[in-house]
């Protein structure tokens, strides 16, 4: 996953956790606006989420943030 996407995803995880608490779940779609304006970046996130890590559709934001910080 490219660094700018990783950084953005961490920021979004941090924001969601701050707003809704440590139990909040999210999907990789949370990293994007409601419209598909960058399909290549969306596919990169989907590949990381689905193919690389075989994550469920919704995962805890704290888990995703830890994975991203660890460089996984």
């Amino acid at each position: 996953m490219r660094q700018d996407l990783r950084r953005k995803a961490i920021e979004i995880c941090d924001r969601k956790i701050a707003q809704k608490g440590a139990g909040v779940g999210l999907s990789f779609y949370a990293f994007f606006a409601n419209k598909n304006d960058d399909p290549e970046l969306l596919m990169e996130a989907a590949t990381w989420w689905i193919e690389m890590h075989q994550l469920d559709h919704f995962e805890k934001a704290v888990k995703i943030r830890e994975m991203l910080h660890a460089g996984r």
Side-chain angles (χ1 to χ4, degrees), residues 3-4 13 21 26 29-32 35 44-45 49 54 68:
Q3 274 307 110
D4 58 334
C13 287
L26 51 78
Y29 289 112
F31 307 147
F32 299 92
K35 61 182 184 172
E44 185 175 334
W49 191 283
Q54 300 177 348
L68 291 164

Side-chain angles (χ1 to χ4, degrees), residues 22-45:
V24 68
L26 51 78
S27 78
F28 66 89
Y29 289 112
F31 307 147
F32 299 92
N34 285 336
K35 61 182 184 172
N36 185 7
D37 57 355
D38 192 342
E40 184 178 314
L41 198 59
L42 179 64
M43 287 306 297
E44 185 175 334

